[in-house]
Amino acid sequence: MTTVGNGGRHGPDGGGGPGSGAALTLTKKDFASDQEVRWCPGCGDYAILSTFQAFVPELGIPPEQMVFVTGIGCSGRFVYYMDTYGVHGIHGRAPAIATGVATARPDLSVWVVTGDGDALSIGGNHLIHALRRNVNVKILMFNNQIYGLTKGQYSPTSEEGKVTKSTPFGSLDHPFNPVALALGAEASFVARTVDVDRQHLTGVLRRAAAHEGVAFVEIYQNCNVFNDDAFLALTGKETKGLNQIRLEDGKPVTFGPDGARCVAVEFDGTLRIADTADTPEELVYVHDSGHPNPAPAFALANLSSGPTEPTALGVFRDVRRPVYGELMDRQIALATEKLGRGDLGKLLHSGDTWVVEDGGVPVGSFQS
Amino acid sequence: MTTVGNGGRHGPDGGGGPGSGAALTLTKKDFASDQEVRWCPGCGDYAILSTFQAFVPELGIPPEQMVFVTGIGCSGRFVYYMDTYGVHGIHGRAPAIATGVATARPDLSVWVVTGDGDALSIGGNHLIHALRRNVNVKILMFNNQIYGLTKGQYSPTSEEGKVTKSTPFGSLDHPFNPVALALGAEASFVARTVDVDRQHLTGVLRRAAAHEGVAFVEIYQNCNVFNDDAFLALTGKETKGLNQIRLEDGKPVTFGPDGARCVAVEFDGTLRIADTADTPEELVYVHDSGHPNPAPAFALANLSSGPTEPTALGVFRDVRRPVYGELMDRQIALATEKLGRGDLGKLLHSGDTWVVEDGGVPVGSFQS
Amino acid sequence: MPTKTVEQKERVVVRFAGDSGDGMQLTGDRFTNATAVLGNDLATLPDFPAEIRAPAGTLAGVSAFQIHFASQDIVTPGDAPNVLIAMNPAALQTNLRDLEPNGTLIVNEDAFVDRNLEKAGYSTNPLDDGSLGGYRVYRVPMTSITVRATEGMGLTKKEAERSKNMFALGLLSWMYSRPTDVTTKWVEKKFNRKPDILRANLAAFRAGYNFGETTELFAHTYEVKPAPALPGTYRNIAGSTALAWGLVAASVRSGLPIFYSSYPITPASELLHELSRHKNFAVRTLQAEDEIAAIGAALGASFAGQLGVTGTSGPGLDLKQETISLAVALELPLIVVDVQRAGPSTGMPTKTEAADLLAALYGRHGESPLPVVAASTPANCFDTALEAARIAVKYRTPVILLSDTFLGNSSEPWRLPDVDGLPEIDPHFATQVNHDDGFMPYLRDENLARPWAVPGTPGLRHRIGGLEKEDVTGNISYEAENHERMTKLRAAKVAKIADDIPLLEVDDETGDAELLVLGWGSTFGAIRGSVRRTRRSGRKVAHAHLTHLNPWPRNIEGVLRRYRRVLIPEMNTGQLAMLVRARFLLDAESYTKVQGQPILAADMDEQITRRLTS
Amino acid sequence: MPTKTVEQKERVVVRFAGDSGDGMQLTGDRFTNATAVLGNDLATLPDFPAEIRAPAGTLAGVSAFQIHFASQDIVTPGDAPNVLIAMNPAALQTNLRDLEPNGTLIVNEDAFVDRNLEKAGYSTNPLDDGSLGGYRVYRVPMTSITVRATEGMGLTKKEAERSKNMFALGLLSWMYSRPTDVTTKWVEKKFNRKPDILRANLAAFRAGYNFGETTELFAHTYEVKPAPALPGTYRNIAGSTALAWGLVAASVRSGLPIFYSSYPITPASELLHELSRHKNFAVRTLQAEDEIAAIGAALGASFAGQLGVTGTSGPGLDLKQETISLAVALELPLIVVDVQRAGPSTGMPTKTEAADLLAALYGRHGESPLPVVAASTPANCFDTALEAARIAVKYRTPVILLSDTFLGNSSEPWRLPDVDGLPEIDPHFATQVNHDDGFMPYLRDENLARPWAVPGTPGLRHRIGGLEKEDVTGNISYEAENHERMTKLRAAKVAKIADDIPLLEVDDETGDAELLVLGWGSTFGAIRGSVRRTRRSGRKVAHAHLTHLNPWPRNIEGVLRRYRRVLIPEMNTGQLAMLVRARFLLDAESYTKVQGQPILAADMDEQITRRLTS
Ligand SMILES: Cc1ncc(C[n+]2csc(CCOP(=O)(O)OP(=O)(O)O)c2C)c(N)n1
Ligand SMILES: Cc1ncc(C[n+]2csc(CCOP(=O)(O)OP(=O)(O)O)c2C)c(N)n1
Ligand code: SF4
Ligand code: SF4
Ligand SMILES: [Mg+2]
Ligand SMILES: [Mg+2]
């Protein structure tokens, strides 16, 4: 009926781009496309977009060096609002498409924006493989614990017993803990933050951007239409102080009013929430996102059973591992060094060949 | 060219089956089909099959109550050798098909046999979702760290740098740790064992069978053709004593000659291999597969970086969670109780209807 | 009070259009019920906005509902509306183009304020700038009258305003002489827990009705006489509900529990939503992790002895094809519902199309034949679902059932069938060894169907898979002739279903038609309506409609050859036409419309007229 | 030494058959090279066992290699072998049925012991029970002679026995007067690090040669004269290698790095294996987690400015369709190789078939047109890969390239092309804003292709996706007419490629043929061979072969209508035939063979003869 707008081109003013000079002074405007933003009024996606656009200039990456790849879902619209290169792919496949972009072109800054259904339901396999491969892609998963775009079915992160359009009698599935799943899939960078906390979100994005290799960032995002206030415990004025467990490297993890509560090391191999007063100082867990072993991060991810209880936020894990695209480039360089730059004529003539001379008679000897 | 045999029917002697009487005396023979076993001579799959067939009668389940679902791969042939009901599905989809079988029919004993490629590469998504849902399926993953059936490409569990047909210059991918992945995916039962250790394998199978809900069992399996001796450290006469870390519930985890080495609790949130002599007794990790928190199991899975080093074997985790198929049955029972057994006539007439009488004139009033 | 005259009408098309928040779907629904109870024949079509919740007053947020009602048998929701109710400028902007010339336009004058005009892209107010000259425009201050009518009921202004849709309903009810008690009763029941809202809604409804009666704006009311109808109990039903209920009916008539496993996708999600409400029919619904898992689980359930069903739309059909191919090899009952939408790729998810026919027939690697059926009207979705189940179970085969967005959303009155008269489906499970050498899972019956032996049955243990199977035994076989034999057997089994389906019926009253319109799917209404209409104006035209797209009814060739010309209208670029041409070397013509919109009766009028006058 | 006579032969088909451990593939390879150097034309076909490593001596473990060589242009690996070398009873059991009546059978007598006979299912020794009466049988104790010949070389008996294939090679080399130096040199090079093995192999080879020369068993040797050939450098090449190299060539000729992303599957894995060896051509190979990821990554690479390619076989094609549909919407270059195998479902993974044509053309939801090309001979795989790349890049479109198991495995001599003479492919990246209002990603050129602007290009930032796009701007659009326009534009772009491909050539020497055989894919050799042969015996038959399955060459209709009858042979149930019938309403006849085996020239002889005598 109507041209919904969105997508395609960027207008003539966005056209020039800042070029790729050394001393870039980029602003939020350089990254905002001319497309009208079309989420439901009040959706948490607005906050994330705005924070992202405000943050991204500091990276000093020219917008034409950036590629966004998104899947299908409300979150997938993100791509149309960033005035960079972008692919709005199909449902669940953004990590796969982005793997191609990032592996073909290690010079690009590649971002995936995805939803809890897109990333963890239909796209679960691509996600875990992108993580283990350590592809140089930053994956932002907007977790609203619901299917927004298809109007309100439960998602793989919805709590058990959830009543939705597809589960009028309550859902039966035990949800994923996305941070735990990512850690189980060998992710080298895993973080969690919330849509409305601009500062925390910015901090996490900054760390993710700086990380070499794959970064998985779970962003709790409020879907005010189909799953309003799912994260109230972490965002509500009164509750957030009680429930946000902020992870900061090198610091003992305490939280709550006056740091009255803490994360304690147990001798059974777990981390547990405890009263700081009752916990010997050496048993208060000191955060180290760079720990080579993913076990502490995993334990932090399992402190509670969901965002309605005290929940760890911040960078769980941030370790250096070889980056897939770079490895591939290196392999190509090495092979080229060893074998010489590919010569098609030589390739065709490699191995056993024979020559037929003008008379149509074979010369009868092989050239190998 | 030839009828390869296998598959289809079971012969007339297998025909009767043992019936489903109360006092079953089943033997290995009751579960062995008449099909010639066709793995490469020396393949670890033989040992697993033989151990399984020897073990399974003790469950007292009539063979016609058992269903095997397999994917594509050498491991997939397993289904043809068990004289039960069976589906040889397509590559990677066995957990999905088995989810249907087990959810439709909670009375059946449903087993999936899969390979490292089948389960973790193409089938990764179905695997992690079957695990989180806690579908009542026992998943045996034969991990030979290679693609056998397609003749030797690397798999998602192959070590980095692996030279195979598809990676003549060495693979670039960081492998999965299947136990860690399963734990990250909320599995309620996770275990690891080896093909050639009949007793250990039997013990793990017994625990898996007893577990209510999904069980994920990684079985290290030697592919003597394309990846021989990948697990020598754990199976070799001289080396296995040094490298097998046997997990036993309620016991401090020590291993090596005279238990000289142990698994120690660290204050940084990890478990670590240490010398028993240097480790205070209270810091020697005591195994508890029933721990509600998956963190200790995950830490055990990350003690080392692969089966060439000391590696934990046994049941990592075994906790009770509601079983998907049972939940669904219960929901049906509840709905039926509340709404009454579905009556099609009533359904069709529910809501707004109107009646047209013989003259073709509507009666003009709704029945709701 | 001036006396109003009553004018008789044969058919009317009314469209309610407003903001998503204006409750147009509900208004349409209620008007529909009042119309149904009056005995008019009718058909309806909602038009939802593509956005989840677009900002109020924007073009993207417009929601509309169209109803076509008549004193005669009708078959479509209508083409150009005769009456358009526009609750705001955006609704006017997006819907006006469809209104018939000189049609009736009723606007909520209160909403035509600057802010709304701007959002709708108007630089001047169309109510004032003369641009609506071609219509009969009625400006009604709906919001303010509603607010006044509900004063003193303890509502905030916003709450009060929200009842303006009931005002519109009241007005239209008056205008078309709809009974009021149906609506009144419904409001009372619906809001019995919220007395304030109840009172406000009733007041607004009455205000609208009375406004029509009292104001001098409207000179007359209309009456549309009841349509002749067969005696029976009727309800109004949408295609998606009918399809879901058809599956439930198949379960009841076969004794097989439905196992519906699906991944949400517009417009197929409705089936999951509807079926998940019927757990007391032992319907198992599983929201799978993706489409591949969804069909995998359904197939597993079929192996386990239930009726596996999976539903999706185009992109999901692509993903399911590999498993459908497995089902073809396993020869197990399975129903795959494809509610088609506009493609390729994500396309236009909320728009209709019928371009998956070739994918349904040929979208799998190898030779992988299966039966395909397509529903033709909302109520027919019920029958077609039953028919798909009958074929799937009897022939042990996956069946693809095609519906589309238009069919799924639109609705029509349905004379409720007698449950006991519905076809019975015998699952005919194997319980006995069928051969001297033991159980042979691929020993076929007279229909070429193989035995369905479910786990738990003693003596019939067997293994089946996707590798080629030896005829009869089901053992794996790489033998050349066996492969050819099995390939032919699979095809023959599907082809043989032609013996077991109704012959193709032709609507050709006089028997002397020159042009046959051959349709399939949701074009039924448009074709039937147009054929009848153009016939009345002398065109020699007939209509036949395919429910079975594979195999075709035995008499199809005879039917086609009886006519000088054959026209095949499709919401694709000519897929059925290609098949007909290939099979019969018959120069079937194609009329195609790929606009994400249904083919209209008017489109067909033009196609038919052009062909029969030129 | 008795003097042996030399007999001239025009063509010979030899098949080596033995246990997988017997080295038959290597033997065949070496014999092929010696044959090539002699100047015979040739074609070869290996036949691998389905099992990875079946127990020694079993039927499942038999491995065979067939070579057809001649003094004339030949086109297939041959039908019935004239000579069968059977290294053990299992090899005899599985291959004898193919040997021509009165054909030459050379057996390794030593292997015909009880245990082996039993494994092969013989209850009596066929060498003794008279069952081989219809053949010329030569019993040669290959194992024991080999062991004797290598005595004293420090080898274990087992090691020594392993050289018996070289004995067989030597014997056949003598028999068909093949040069020995080629083989000798190869052995020397291959085993230069293992002198023991080197010596043993040479000794066995010589023993075989001398055995032929000295024993009275064989009365004469054969000579097959060199075939006339165009001057140039030749090599023997298998279809899979040629296809991979064609992609490398496309990279070289376009300057676009190849990004080959694939998931292993028989028989397409060979492409991944081969391409992964050419990293020094900047070929990126990615073994993805599944087929969907594979094509996703390839498409991502294309967006990023490389030449994305993905390869698979039937089951994988099904899985890729949804992403192919996205590529159709994105209008990006992409090559999808489908090495077809026997289906449906897992089917017979090691057997050939060509039944994915309709899936390639129509296997996606919605209207999703794309070009399809098919290779016809092993060497032609090179050209077809280049052609696929040319079309993909020039028209910004996914292209499906069809090959099959038979093509991939068989090989033929290939006159190496001059690299500089290969078609150049200009990626023609967009670098400039193309419109006054900014960059328009869907503003088309004269070929209807859209600009390819790769990330990193300043000023051309844009976003594209799978939702329907507005013409020119690429913005999302749900507008009805736009959708129809875009649907037509996508189709028109593909259809227009017909202007840019060679006309269909007909092999019709005299121009008076009555029957045209229209083929596609790997049937080329069988058709061409048979048409020439049957023509020589007076049949009026012509041959045309389609490389471009979509769009077809412009002249196809004219070509088809020129003949009284058109026969379309296919390794499916008549897929191309259906398309031809639909398009031209032309009564094309179908010959189909769905046995997992190639169509043979003999099959074609029968089909042609039957049609031209009856
Ligand atoms: C193959 C396929 N299956 C299903 C869909 C329908 N679909 C689109 S988005 C979506 C889920 C969206 O949920 P989520 O990823 O959580 O995103 P949100 O809308 O909540 O941001 C689904 C099921 C589709 N577009 N394609
Ligand atoms: C859709 C699809 N893709 C690919 C294949 C080819 N394939 C068959 S088995 C297999 C991998 C087998 O590896 P694994 O699961 O480790 O089993 P193994 O053979 O090692 O036991 C592959 C890639 C297939 N059959 N189907
Ligand atoms: S449906 Fe939910 S997630 Fe989607 S735009 Fe609306 S509020 Fe946001
Ligand atoms: S290829 Fe490896 S895994 Fe497969 S049967 Fe042979 S030895 Fe076993
Ligand atoms: Mg979501
Ligand atoms: Mg494996």
Side-chain angles (χ1 to χ4, degrees), chain D residues 518-531:
Chain D
L518 177 70
W520 71 276
S522 72
T523 53
F524 179 89
I527 300 175
R528 183 58 52 103
S530 169
V531 162

PDB file of all heavy atoms in Angstrom, chain D residues 518-531:
ATOM      1  N   LEU D 518      17.737 -34.007 -27.407  1.00  0.00           N
ATOM      2  CA  LEU D 518      18.098 -32.810 -26.646  1.00  0.00           C
ATOM      3  C   LEU D 518      18.541 -33.250 -25.264  1.00  0.00           C
ATOM      4  O   LEU D 518      17.765 -33.864 -24.519  1.00  0.00           O
ATOM      5  CB  LEU D 518      16.901 -31.862 -26.536  1.00  0.00           C
ATOM      6  CG  LEU D 518      17.157 -30.598 -25.700  1.00  0.00           C
ATOM      7  CD1 LEU D 518      18.123 -29.659 -26.419  1.00  0.00           C
ATOM      8  CD2 LEU D 518      15.846 -29.875 -25.398  1.00  0.00           C
ATOM      9  N   GLY D 519      19.789 -32.946 -24.929  1.00  0.00           N
ATOM     10  CA  GLY D 519      20.295 -33.394 -23.628  1.00  0.00           C
ATOM     11  C   GLY D 519      20.722 -32.235 -22.764  1.00  0.00           C
ATOM     12  O   GLY D 519      20.737 -31.083 -23.200  1.00  0.00           O
ATOM     13  N   TRP D 520      21.027 -32.560 -21.543  1.00  0.00           N
ATOM     14  CA  TRP D 520      21.662 -31.588 -20.642  1.00  0.00           C
ATOM     15  C   TRP D 520      22.489 -32.382 -19.653  1.00  0.00           C
ATOM     16  O   TRP D 520      22.198 -33.547 -19.368  1.00  0.00           O
ATOM     17  CB  TRP D 520      20.630 -30.700 -19.947  1.00  0.00           C
ATOM     18  CG  TRP D 520      19.775 -31.369 -18.899  1.00  0.00           C
ATOM     19  CD1 TRP D 520      18.635 -32.082 -19.110  1.00  0.00           C
ATOM     20  CD2 TRP D 520      20.009 -31.390 -17.482  1.00  0.00           C
ATOM     21  NE1 TRP D 520      18.132 -32.544 -17.931  1.00  0.00           N
ATOM     22  CE2 TRP D 520      18.948 -32.129 -16.909  1.00  0.00           C
ATOM     23  CE3 TRP D 520      21.001 -30.854 -16.638  1.00  0.00           C
ATOM     24  CZ2 TRP D 520      18.861 -32.364 -15.521  1.00  0.00           C
ATOM     25  CZ3 TRP D 520      20.900 -31.071 -15.271  1.00  0.00           C
ATOM     26  CH2 TRP D 520      19.841 -31.818 -14.714  1.00  0.00           C
ATOM     27  N   GLY D 521      23.551 -31.767 -19.151  1.00  0.00           N
ATOM     28  CA  GLY D 521      24.348 -32.411 -18.102  1.00  0.00           C
ATOM     29  C   GLY D 521      25.185 -33.557 -18.619  1.00  0.00           C
ATOM     30  O   GLY D 521      25.570 -33.604 -19.789  1.00  0.00           O
ATOM     31  N   SER D 522      25.442 -34.504 -17.742  1.00  0.00           N
ATOM     32  CA  SER D 522      26.445 -35.535 -17.990  1.00  0.00           C
ATOM     33  C   SER D 522      26.027 -36.571 -19.024  1.00  0.00           C
ATOM     34  O   SER D 522      26.794 -37.470 -19.320  1.00  0.00           O
ATOM     35  CB  SER D 522      26.791 -36.236 -16.684  1.00  0.00           C
ATOM     36  OG  SER D 522      25.720 -37.049 -16.285  1.00  0.00           O
ATOM     37  N   THR D 523      24.825 -36.457 -19.558  1.00  0.00           N
ATOM     38  CA  THR D 523      24.429 -37.391 -20.612  1.00  0.00           C
ATOM     39  C   THR D 523      25.119 -37.072 -21.933  1.00  0.00           C
ATOM     40  O   THR D 523      24.971 -37.826 -22.895  1.00  0.00           O
ATOM     41  CB  THR D 523      22.902 -37.324 -20.842  1.00  0.00           C
ATOM     42  OG1 THR D 523      22.555 -35.951 -21.062  1.00  0.00           O
ATOM     43  CG2 THR D 523      22.135 -37.852 -19.642  1.00  0.00           C
ATOM     44  N   PHE D 524      25.852 -35.979 -21.973  1.00  0.00           N
ATOM     45  CA  PHE D 524      26.471 -35.540 -23.226  1.00  0.00           C
ATOM     46  C   PHE D 524      27.208 -36.675 -23.937  1.00  0.00           C
ATOM     47  O   PHE D 524      26.978 -36.955 -25.114  1.00  0.00           O
ATOM     48  CB  PHE D 524      27.440 -34.382 -22.979  1.00  0.00           C
ATOM     49  CG  PHE D 524      28.116 -33.906 -24.234  1.00  0.00           C
ATOM     50  CD1 PHE D 524      27.543 -32.916 -25.028  1.00  0.00           C
ATOM     51  CD2 PHE D 524      29.331 -34.465 -24.658  1.00  0.00           C
ATOM     52  CE1 PHE D 524      28.157 -32.488 -26.194  1.00  0.00           C
ATOM     53  CE2 PHE D 524      29.944 -34.039 -25.827  1.00  0.00           C
ATOM     54  CZ  PHE D 524      29.358 -33.051 -26.600  1.00  0.00           C
ATOM     55  N   GLY D 525      28.125 -37.305 -23.219  1.00  0.00           N
ATOM     56  CA  GLY D 525      28.962 -38.324 -23.842  1.00  0.00           C
ATOM     57  C   GLY D 525      28.146 -39.459 -24.427  1.00  0.00           C
ATOM     58  O   GLY D 525      28.359 -39.881 -25.568  1.00  0.00           O
ATOM     59  N   ALA D 526      27.217 -39.953 -23.637  1.00  0.00           N
ATOM     60  CA  ALA D 526      26.405 -41.087 -24.093  1.00  0.00           C
ATOM     61  C   ALA D 526      25.591 -40.698 -25.320  1.00  0.00           C
ATOM     62  O   ALA D 526      25.504 -41.458 -26.297  1.00  0.00           O
ATOM     63  CB  ALA D 526      25.484 -41.549 -22.970  1.00  0.00           C
ATOM     64  N   ILE D 527      25.029 -39.523 -25.303  1.00  0.00           N
ATOM     65  CA  ILE D 527      24.211 -39.099 -26.447  1.00  0.00           C
ATOM     66  C   ILE D 527      25.084 -38.889 -27.678  1.00  0.00           C
ATOM     67  O   ILE D 527      24.823 -39.419 -28.754  1.00  0.00           O
ATOM     68  CB  ILE D 527      23.443 -37.795 -26.131  1.00  0.00           C
ATOM     69  CG1 ILE D 527      22.513 -37.992 -24.930  1.00  0.00           C
ATOM     70  CG2 ILE D 527      22.645 -37.345 -27.347  1.00  0.00           C
ATOM     71  CD1 ILE D 527      21.816 -36.710 -24.472  1.00  0.00           C
ATOM     72  N   ARG D 528      26.156 -38.132 -27.477  1.00  0.00           N
ATOM     73  CA  ARG D 528      27.001 -37.829 -28.627  1.00  0.00           C
ATOM     74  C   ARG D 528      27.556 -39.112 -29.238  1.00  0.00           C
ATOM     75  O   ARG D 528      27.517 -39.317 -30.455  1.00  0.00           O
ATOM     76  CB  ARG D 528      28.139 -36.884 -28.180  1.00  0.00           C
ATOM     77  CG  ARG D 528      29.091 -36.401 -29.259  1.00  0.00           C
ATOM     78  CD  ARG D 528      28.408 -35.655 -30.409  1.00  0.00           C
ATOM     79  NE  ARG D 528      27.522 -34.557 -30.058  1.00  0.00           N
ATOM     80  CZ  ARG D 528      27.834 -33.259 -30.159  1.00  0.00           C
ATOM     81  NH1 ARG D 528      29.034 -32.886 -30.566  1.00  0.00           N
ATOM     82  NH2 ARG D 528      26.939 -32.360 -29.854  1.00  0.00           N
ATOM     83  N   GLY D 529      28.045 -39.994 -28.380  1.00  0.00           N
ATOM     84  CA  GLY D 529      28.617 -41.250 -28.869  1.00  0.00           C
ATOM     85  C   GLY D 529      27.583 -42.045 -29.645  1.00  0.00           C
ATOM     86  O   GLY D 529      27.836 -42.540 -30.755  1.00  0.00           O
ATOM     87  N   SER D 530      26.425 -42.151 -29.071  1.00  0.00           N
ATOM     88  CA  SER D 530      25.390 -42.959 -29.701  1.00  0.00           C
ATOM     89  C   SER D 530      24.882 -42.323 -30.979  1.00  0.00           C
ATOM     90  O   SER D 530      24.636 -43.020 -31.987  1.00  0.00           O
ATOM     91  CB  SER D 530      24.240 -43.153 -28.704  1.00  0.00           C
ATOM     92  OG  SER D 530      23.131 -43.709 -29.352  1.00  0.00           O
ATOM     93  N   VAL D 531      24.715 -41.022 -30.968  1.00  0.00           N
ATOM     94  CA  VAL D 531      24.219 -40.347 -32.172  1.00  0.00           C
ATOM     95  C   VAL D 531      25.189 -40.562 -33.328  1.00  0.00           C
ATOM     96  O   VAL D 531      24.783 -40.882 -34.456  1.00  0.00           O
ATOM     97  CB  VAL D 531      24.007 -38.836 -31.889  1.00  0.00           C
ATOM     98  CG1 VAL D 531      23.920 -38.040 -33.182  1.00  0.00           C
ATOM     99  CG2 VAL D 531      22.755 -38.633 -31.048  1.00  0.00           C
TER     100      VAL D 531
END
